[in-house]
Amino acid sequence: MYRYDEFDYTLVNERIQQFRGQVSRRLNGELSEDEFRPLRLMNGLYLQLHAYMLRVAIPYGTLSADQMRMLAHIARRYDRGYGHFTTRQNIQYNWPKLEDVPDMLADLANVEMHAIQTSGNCIRNVTADPFAGVAADEIEDPRVFAEIIRQWSTLHPEFSFLPRKFKIAVTGSPADRAAVGFHDIGLKMRRGPDGEIGFEVVVGGGQGRTPLVGQTIRDFLPKADLLSYLEAILRIYNEQGRRDNIYKARIKILVESLGAPAFAELVEREWEQTRGGGLDLPGDEIARIETYFAPPSYPPASVADNALTQARAAYPVFDRWCRVNLSDHRQPGYGIVNISLKPTGGIPGDISAEQMDVVADLADQFSLGEIRATYVQNLVLPHVRLADLKPLYDALADAGLATANIGLATDIISCPGLDFCNLANARSIPVAQRISERLADPDRLEAMGALRINISGCINACAHHHTGDIGLLGVDRKGVELYQITLGGRGDGDAAIGSIIGPAFSYDNVVGAVDNVIGTFLEQRQDGENFAETYRRIGPAPFKEQLYGTA
Amino acid sequence: MNARVLTANRLGDGAVVYRDAAGNWVEALEQAALAEDEAAEQALLMAGEDALARQLVVGPYLIEVALKAAAPSPLSQRERIRASGPTVAAWPAQVG
Amino acid sequence: MALLRNARVEDDDWVFVADDQPIPTDGPVVISFSRYQAERDRLNDRDGPLGLVLDSDQTPRDIAEDVGRFELICLKFPKFTDGRGYSAARLLRERFDFQGELRATGNVLRDQLAFMLRCGFDAFEIPDSVNALKWLPALSEISVHLQPAADGLPDNVARRGRRVFGGISGVNQARPAGNTEVWAR
């Protein structure tokens, strides 16, 4: 993984000093709240319902065991003993004090972490496939370019006061595990006409009030041109994005209003000027960053392990965990272990300081010291020998981290909602908890197959409900919490926005409604279809019929 | 019977606070000063602006509460949650 | 308003002429973009330097060929959150090779000075109430730059000796444009 050099350390430490100065100028009144707000946002510090909230960046979701230990320390020392992994591969703390934040940032800097640009109208954390570097189906590791983009976008003097936030995602695999179709810029690594690897550039995807799937504006972009092309896109957006209405200020609105071809034309013309200069990526700079992401030298591991086979035969619960939580690794004898942060009835994405320490130790012991955070609020141990799965599982189970529900209906994605967030209209967490408890039966869960439920507490859609097989959107009607259900969303390569199925449900009835939808699916499915396949085949009508008694 | 109460977040730690009759910012809603007419509301708002200017609180605003025997109860769910904290226990061992 | 220029507060010699006032025949005058469009040719007949004010919704791309006529361009920031001026500044400096004074006016805050300097501004209109000396340290708070910009300073890649630094037009700039080097740091 990337390691700071002297420049990176200098930047982060200077940034902390700068923020210390800004905090003290706020506390002594030299800065008003209006002036301070964008500054603290650019350092990831929100003011929420009950307290401040600090969002720490985990670049493209990769972290080391030592970094995880520091995150645990932060939770214990400055917060209430836990953290929350987000839908952009970051971690949030719900209870920091303003006066403590510079110290928190200083502690984080010691392990090469920061909270720069995790909020504000600037370029945010560049996210990537959590299986980057180890997925069996990968073309190339997208994190090399996520890192290059991260550097270029950090404290970019021209793009720190954009019309609105800006999110970039990169995937190195045809299976899009980074939802690039729903980002302001999505980059899909692919082979070009001469066989060399480059990017398909997708622009204008997003969720929120106006969900849109991004559109391809360039089929193939060579690696060397990446930054000059991105700079062209950002400049056009900075100049022409709307500034009169925050709900119409994302680049997706600009792309939609101009039309993708006209927008692409603007970018291409600007790119003629930005390319061929200081933003061109020299081959040796790419190679230098690549060395940080070189595959580790894997200790030899046998492909067929007797001990594993026996353990799976002897322990059905472990066997299920292997079936559900394990993903294919490109290295023979190894597997990708998914750690569920969605225990039955738990708060999706939350993890205690003690659990963070356990994950750190297990990463050192079983995963070459590396961990990933996913955009569905789970963790990954990316380098696990199959022979180690049983001892790893036992340790995870002891720590409450072995729920076998990855990708299943109780692997719920939920925003913090009205329990925590200033923007929310309704609570999301207790709805997630109740759905999780209702669907907890492990056999039924596994039989249902892949089923994604996303719950957002407001239209900002931080839980990406538009992309859920079943999406819930919390709304407030005259002081009452109601939940709108959408069906048929997809966040992967076949990106699709879910459709509202009918009138909203109350807090008391929504869990029953979700159960009802699943019931319809189970009745209608054929040949082991998953929810998405059944929905694609039969459409919304049977679901509406069962929910509302009308077609 | 309803009244109005002035609330804000404390600058230093972001905690939810209410202004009491003595001019302090307290965390317990039941200790908040009640404004039952426009003059009292204006006085509270001015106190809020003053506290903002003195770097005590951020974003002061009035909320509506129903006066009940036990304690004033905010009319909006958002304010009820602000007053009593998240409705979900973050962690079994969590305090507050 | 005070003028922060050359790392100190300076008097402003420029005269801002309202759209409905006659333009003096000599001396340094600053006019709006719409005034400039209306009187382009007549302005050739006057003595004295010419300055231009661009609102945030007016793009310097429309005066690309004319930048040589101006010794001052003011870019307005109606709200500090309106970041169009940063792109406008870079275009003026790096694309259209504007050599005169590039001034940020309007809602200019201390914590934006460093970004503005990097984008090519070399003068800032700041509130009278501000102690300019307290603002100057803002310019040297961050010494590492991770991308090329108008100030011509080497970014991290260039520092590692891997490329000659250059701005958005691919022009290899051996020195910063405008008067930015006086903000020594």
Side-chain angles (χ1 to χ4, degrees):
Chain A
M1 49 182 286
Y2 186 68
R3 299 308 311 275
Y4 279 14
D5 62 15
E6 49 166 320
F7 298 124
D8 300 308
Y9 271 115
T10 303
L11 177 75
V12 161
N13 288 324
E14 287 178 341
R15 178 62 162 199
I16 291 167
Q17 285 310 109
Q18 183 187 57
F19 189 58
R20 260 189 219 287
Q22 291 164 350
V23 170
S24 77
R25 278 185 287 125
R26 175 70 187 98
L27 291 172
N28 74 18
E30 268 178 67
L31 276 174
S32 73
E33 185 63 19
D34 281 341
E35 293 163 348
F36 182 63
R37 184 178 307 109
L39 303 176
R40 65 165 162 80
L41 289 176
M42 281 197 274
N43 283 286
L45 188 63
Y46 285 84
L47 183 56
Q48 292 287 49
L49 281 190
H50 315 283
Y52 288 98
M53 182 271 279
L54 181 67
R55 182 181 295 149
V56 175
I58 302 175
Y60 36 85
T62 295
L63 67 164
S64 69
D66 280 342
Q67 290 175 329
M68 182 64 95
R69 284 187 191 96
M70 179 57 75
L71 295 179
H73 162 78
I74 298 280
R76 259 192 295 267
R77 167 95 167 72
Y78 301 102
D79 205 275
R80 294 193 183 180
Y82 70 98
H84 171 80
F85 281 94
T86 77
T87 54
R88 295 218 76 242
Q89 297 180 303
N90 292 318
I91 187 170
Q92 291 177 179
Y93 295 98
N94 291 333
W95 307 95
K97 298 178 169 44
L98 174 60
E99 47 228 7
D100 283 342
V101 172
D103 286 342
M104 294 167 82
L105 297 179
D107 284 355
L108 288 166
N110 285 332
V111 291
E112 303 177 19
M113 298 187 87
H114 62 74
I116 297 172
Q117 292 174 213
T118 54
S119 185
N121 291 340
C122 50
I123 300 170
R124 305 282 190 92
N125 188 25
V126 180
T127 52
D129 181 352
F131 295 170
V134 292
D137 63 355
E138 185 168 89
I139 299 168
E140 232 184 59
D141 193 331
R143 296 173 301 164
V144 174
F145 294 92
E147 174 60 27
I148 287 171
I149 297 169
R150 182 190 75 83
Q151 294 188 18
W152 159 80
S153 66
T154 299
L155 305 187
H156 196 303
E158 187 183 349
F159 302 135
S160 290
F161 292 90
L162 296 171
R164 201 73 174 91
K165 64 180 97 170
F166 205 91
K167 301 180 178 177
I168 302 175
V170 195
T171 180
S173 154
D176 176 7
R177 288 177 288 263
V180 302
F182 284 100
H183 279 74
D184 296 295
I185 294 177
L187 297 165
K188 303 182 177 181
M189 298 191 79
R190 53 175 297 244
R191 290 201 182 276
D194 298 324
E196 98 248 43
I197 292 173
F199 306 93
E200 178 185 343
V201 183
V202 176
V203 181
Q207 309 241 5
R209 227 160 276 253
T210 333
L212 287 164
V213 177
Q215 302 187 64
T216 300
I217 62 165
R218 191 167 178 90
D219 284 325
F220 186 77
L221 181 71
K223 288 176 181 176
D225 294 326
L226 179 64
L227 294 183
S228 62
Y229 198 80
L230 292 183
E231 186 132 314
I233 296 174
L234 265 299
R235 181 163 299 129
I236 299 298
Y237 173 57
N238 192 45
E239 289 180 283
Q240 300 197 29
R242 286 179 66 167
R243 296 194 184 250
D244 59 316
N245 180 346
I246 64 162
Y247 304 119
K248 299 274 176 202
R250 298 289 287 274
I251 197 173
K252 65 188 177 188
I253 304 296
L254 182 62
V255 173
E256 219 211 357
S257 74
L258 295 175
F263 179 80
E265 173 67 33
L266 282 176
V267 171
E268 295 286 324
R269 262 193 274 138
E270 177 62 20
W271 184 46
E272 272 161 41
Q273 303 294 324
T274 62
R275 64 192 299 194
L279 287 167
D280 283 5
L281 278 169
D284 54 359
E285 174 64 8
I286 297 176
R288 187 181 73 86
I289 303 290
E290 274 172 354
T291 60
Y292 291 108
F293 298 98
S297 34
Y298 287 104
S302 67
V303 178
D305 190 81
N306 277 336
L308 175 62
T309 315
Q310 283 165 13
R312 289 186 72 163
Y315 300 101
V317 177
F318 168 60
D319 186 46
R320 186 200 311 276
W321 178 87
C322 290
R323 279 199 304 278
V324 177
N325 286 20
L326 202 56
S327 302
D328 288 336
H329 202 290
R330 63 190 315 146
Q331 181 74 10
Y334 278 76
I336 301 171
V337 169
N338 291 278
I339 297 176
S340 171
L341 298 185
K342 324 289 180 72
T344 303
I347 298 179
D350 273 18
I351 181 171
S352 71
E354 291 68 40
Q355 288 176 320
M356 288 190 234
D357 282 332
V358 167
V359 172
D361 288 343
L362 293 175
D364 273 337
Q365 193 178 357
F366 296 118
S367 183
L368 303 177
E370 196 175 321
I371 304 154
R372 310 286 175 81
T374 80
Y375 85 93
V376 294
Q377 305 173 296
N378 289 320
L379 297 175
V380 168
L381 292 177
H383 310 294
V384 180
R385 288 191 321 157
L386 297 177
D388 290 332
L389 285 179
K390 182 63 171 55
L392 171 59
Y393 166 80
D394 287 340
L396 287 171
D398 275 344
L401 293 168
T403 312
N405 65 352
I406 297 298
L408 304 183
T410 59
D411 186 5
I412 299 170
I413 298 103
S414 171
C415 72
L418 189 56
D419 284 302
F420 289 95
C421 181
N422 247 332
L423 302 172
N425 289 318
R427 288 172 297 162
S428 49
I429 294 173
V431 176
Q433 290 175 307
R434 286 159 54 214
I435 293 175
S436 170
E437 278 156 358
R438 179 76 70 98
L439 302 178
D441 178 79
D443 290 324
R444 185 168 178 259
L445 202 58
E446 202 183 343
M448 279 195 260
L451 208 173
R452 181 168 289 185
I453 300 177
N454 301 57
I455 307 176
S456 299
C458 81
I459 193 64
N460 287 298
C462 297
H464 303 174
H465 64 277
H466 298 293
T467 64
D469 287 308
I470 301 173
L472 264 54
L473 168 63
V475 298
D476 175 325
R477 298 245 174 86
K478 303 189 184 170
V480 176
E481 284 171 314
L482 292 171
Y483 298 86
Q484 242 173 29
I485 297 181
T486 58
L487 299 182
R490 292 187 72 124
D492 63 9
D494 280 328
I497 293 161
S499 319
I500 299 174
I501 193 70
F505 292 87
S506 69
Y507 177 82
D508 290 331
N509 292 335
V510 66
V511 177
V514 170
D515 218 10
N516 181 296
V517 165
I518 292 175
T520 305
F521 154 62
L522 291 174
E523 275 167 43
Q524 300 278 344
R525 81 195 298 194
Q526 289 174 2
D527 309 318
E529 282 173 334
N530 62 29
F531 187 98
E533 287 160 340
T534 300
Y535 184 84
R536 185 176 287 169
R537 180 172 54 81
I538 69 176
F543 295 96
K544 280 184 170 166
E545 166 84 43
Q546 294 278 57
L547 265 179
Y548 301 107
T550 58
Chain B
M1 256 300 287
N2 290 347
R4 239 85 50 233
V5 150
L6 189 71
T7 185
N9 289 79
R10 199 154 47 204
L11 176 63
D13 63 3
V16 176
V17 289
Y18 306 93
R19 195 167 184 285
D20 74 6
N24 304 311
W25 291 91
V26 297
E27 292 184 39
L29 174 56
E30 55 266 24
Q31 293 170 22
L34 300 169
E36 293 177 75
D37 60 41
E38 196 167 330
E41 285 175 29
Q42 283 309 311
L44 278 180
L45 283 170
M46 285 187 50
E49 290 306 301
D50 177 63
L52 182 66
R54 289 193 293 132
Q55 291 85 52
L56 294 172
V57 301
V58 180
Y61 60 101
L62 290 169
I63 64 169
E64 191 131 349
V65 297
L67 298 177
K68 299 194 167 163
S73 171
L75 297 192
S76 85
Q77 187 187 25
R78 183 176 184 276
E79 290 306 325
R80 285 196 294 277
I81 292 176
R82 279 183 84 244
S84 7
T87 66
V88 294
W91 222 258
Q94 281 311 301
V95 172
Chain C
M1 299 298 274
L3 181 62
L4 189 60
R5 187 173 61 190
N6 294 321
R8 60 179 182 240
V9 177
E10 293 191 342
D11 293 326
D12 189 5
D13 304 324
W14 290 87
V15 173
F16 285 75
V17 180
D19 282 353
D20 58 355
Q21 296 302 310
I23 300 175
T25 48
D26 54 17
V29 298
V30 192
I31 57 176
S32 73
F33 181 55
S34 51
R35 191 76 187 270
Y36 175 70
Q37 284 174 304
E39 309 209 22
R40 279 189 83 214
D41 299 320
R42 261 171 288 159
L43 290 165
N44 288 331
D45 299 333
R46 66 179 299 279
D47 272 327
L50 189 59
L52 180 72
V53 178
L54 287 178
D55 288 331
S56 63
D57 58 357
Q58 292 169 334
T59 173
R61 295 178 189 267
D62 289 343
I63 51 153
E65 270 109 53
D66 294 357
V67 293
R69 304 188 66 180
F70 304 106
E71 292 189 28
L72 167 70
I73 296 181
C74 295
L75 298 179
K76 277 174 136 176
F77 289 83
K79 287 185 293 188
F80 68 84
T81 49
D82 184 337
R84 285 177 281 192
Y86 299 93
S87 289
R90 288 195 72 191
L91 286 167
L92 282 166
R93 284 293 190 219
E94 299 172 69
R95 183 93 28 103
F96 310 138
D97 203 29
F98 174 63
Q99 298 289 329
E101 175 185 325
L102 190 56
R103 187 187 296 188
T105 73
N107 190 207
V108 172
L109 303 182
R110 176 195 187 278
D111 295 286
Q112 295 161 320
L113 292 186
F115 287 141
M116 289 178 170
L117 201 70
R118 292 212 71 213
C119 287
F121 288 99
D122 55 358
F124 311 91
E125 193 182 75
I126 63 178
D128 279 322
S129 54
V130 162
N131 179 348
L133 292 178
K134 285 189 148 187
W135 280 35
L136 291 176
L139 297 165
S140 42
E141 284 170 346
I142 307 283
S143 67
V144 172
H145 307 296
L146 298 184
Q147 63 289 111
D151 57 2
L153 290 177
D155 68 319
N156 58 326
V157 175
R159 279 195 213 230
R160 294 185 190 103
R162 277 178 169 76
R163 67 161 174 257
V164 180
F165 46 87
I168 61 178
S169 298
V171 172
N172 288 332
Q173 294 171 280
R175 64 154 189 86
N179 204 19
T180 53
E181 71 264 25
V182 77
W183 303 89
R185 58 193 188 280

